[in-house]
Amino acid sequence: MNKRAPIGIFDSGYGGLTVFEEVQNALPEYDYLYFGDNARAPYGNRSFDVVYEFTLEAVKFLFDQGCPLVVLACNTASAKALRTIQQNDLPKLGQDKRVLGVIRPSTEEIGSLSKSRHVGVLGTSGTVQSQSYLIELKKFAPDIHVSQHACPMWVPLIENEKHHHTAGVQFIEEDVQALLKKDPLIDTIILACTHYPVIKEKIRQIAGKHINVVSQGPIVADKLEQYLRAHPEMDEKLSKNAQREFYSSESSEVFDEKAARFLGYPIQSKHHSF
Ligand code: DGL
């Protein structure tokens, strides 16, 4: 197939790159177009209306670029915008297009990961306030006891690379301990923000070896593979030339430098502003 029809991957900033990386490793033959709204990140403390408005703009941009399928690789956007976009906007934007999120795939899996049936969720204030994890987990694993804790400092720390600094580590320690204090029986922590895998090792050290710290990237990649197998009509539309394109609402120089640190290899992005 020659027509450009990449899988769109969206995040407020760099965090979605942790999902992109897992997805492209699992499905390397597909084309991908990543968009990071870095100029307007973080989304975590923004209102429902603003997250919805920004996310819808990003989805429209990715559709305009030819993506038939968009993955919101951002929990905040998945929590605050996905449902409205799916229900109200998709019928107008194109019946044959799809937008998927990261919360449902994660909550479908969590039940199989915890032995104690006590799970901790770490996310942005927006994700925690939306209660999306509690609502979704009730459907897929109703016996699981869920405790949530918001970490509003983590995304700015990671985006500004201050997570190694003493003050940064202190914030991380305080937040992990605050979660574990809410429920000492937690044996599984889900990193419900796509930025957090960057500090996974630190979280693991603080939480202790008995706690399974789970990133969403591999889960989302696995579920996307299953989705494409179950939806050949979508799979047939997607172009498979192994091309990767990156766009950011920040300047390309800034995005490229930081994205390379997230990915471990250099990239060249293009700029898009709204
Ligand atoms: N990666 C986004 C998430 O998963 C970060 C949100 C933000 O911009 O605050 O929630």
Side-chain angles (χ1 to χ4, degrees), residues 20-272:
F20 160 76
E21 194 58 7
E22 298 290 345
V23 169
Q24 70 145 1
N25 283 338
L27 300 162
E29 68 277 24
Y30 290 80
D31 295 339
Y32 294 94
L33 199 159
Y34 184 92
F35 175 65
D37 193 10
N38 302 74
R40 304 192 291 194
Y43 280 13
N45 301 326
R46 292 190 186 274
S47 68
F48 263 87
D49 288 351
V50 170
V51 172
Y52 164 67
E53 186 194 318
F54 288 180
T55 306
L56 182 59
E57 281 179 346
V59 167
K60 282 182 180 165
F61 167 68
L62 290 165
F63 282 170
D64 288 347
Q65 293 298 308
C67 302
L69 172 67
V70 171
V71 178
L72 303 184
C74 175
N75 288 269
T76 312
S78 298
K80 292 188 161 182
L82 178 62
R83 187 171 294 255
T84 317
I85 291 176
Q86 284 175 333
Q87 289 177 352
N88 297 352
D89 299 295
L90 267 186
K92 289 173 248 156
L93 294 172
Q95 302 276 6
D96 52 342
K97 296 192 166 67
R98 290 289 173 269
V99 183
L100 306 174
V102 288
I103 296 180
R104 177 150 183 181
S106 308
T107 50
E108 280 174 358
E109 277 312 292
I110 291 172
S112 66
L113 302 174
S114 170
K115 284 203 181 80
S116 72
R117 314 310 281 162
H118 288 250
V119 166
V121 174
L122 293 172
T124 65
S125 303
T127 299
V128 167
Q129 277 160 16
S130 76
Q131 310 262 357
S132 298
Y133 275 83
L134 300 180
I135 296 164
E136 291 296 313
L137 269 168
K138 248 199 194 100
K139 293 182 202 157
F140 302 114
D143 64 316
I144 292 254
H145 185 273
V146 192
S147 303
Q148 307 191 93
H149 180 72
C151 312
M153 292 304 292
W154 289 13
V155 170
L157 282 174
I158 293 166
E159 293 250 332
N160 295 299
E161 292 184 53
K162 298 284 184 227
H163 51 283
H164 299 301
H165 292 214
T166 317
V169 172
Q170 215 168 314
F171 273 114
I172 300 167
E173 271 169 5
E174 272 173 22
D175 284 321
V176 174
Q177 274 152 11
L179 174 72
L180 297 177
K181 214 167 150 193
K182 285 183 185 168
D183 181 359
L185 295 178
I186 288 172
D187 72 349
T188 306
I189 294 178
I190 176 91
L191 302 183
C193 171
T194 53
H195 281 68
Y196 299 174
V198 172
I199 53 170
K200 186 173 177 176
E201 269 323 300
K202 188 91 242 143
I203 297 167
R204 213 179 239 152
Q205 278 168 21
I206 299 164
K209 283 202 187 77
H210 61 294
I211 293 183
N212 185 13
V213 180
V214 182
S215 304
Q216 297 172 298
I219 298 174
V220 174
D222 195 46
K223 296 283 178 186
L224 184 61
E225 209 170 344
Q226 289 175 26
Y227 175 85
L228 294 175
R229 236 181 288 137
H231 295 274
E233 75 293 349
M234 173 57 76
D235 192 54
E236 279 159 20
K237 275 188 215 137
L238 296 167
S239 52
K240 300 175 184 79
N241 305 304
Q243 285 176 359
R244 280 86 177 106
E245 281 177 274
F246 299 87
Y247 279 84
S248 172
S249 55
E250 194 25 291
S251 82
S252 301
E253 296 75 40
V254 172
F255 183 80
D256 293 357
E257 201 216 314
K258 286 203 186 166
R261 292 192 203 157
F262 270 75
L263 293 167
Y265 53 86
I267 56 139
Q268 280 190 329
S269 65
K270 293 177 197 140
H271 174 74
H272 173 76

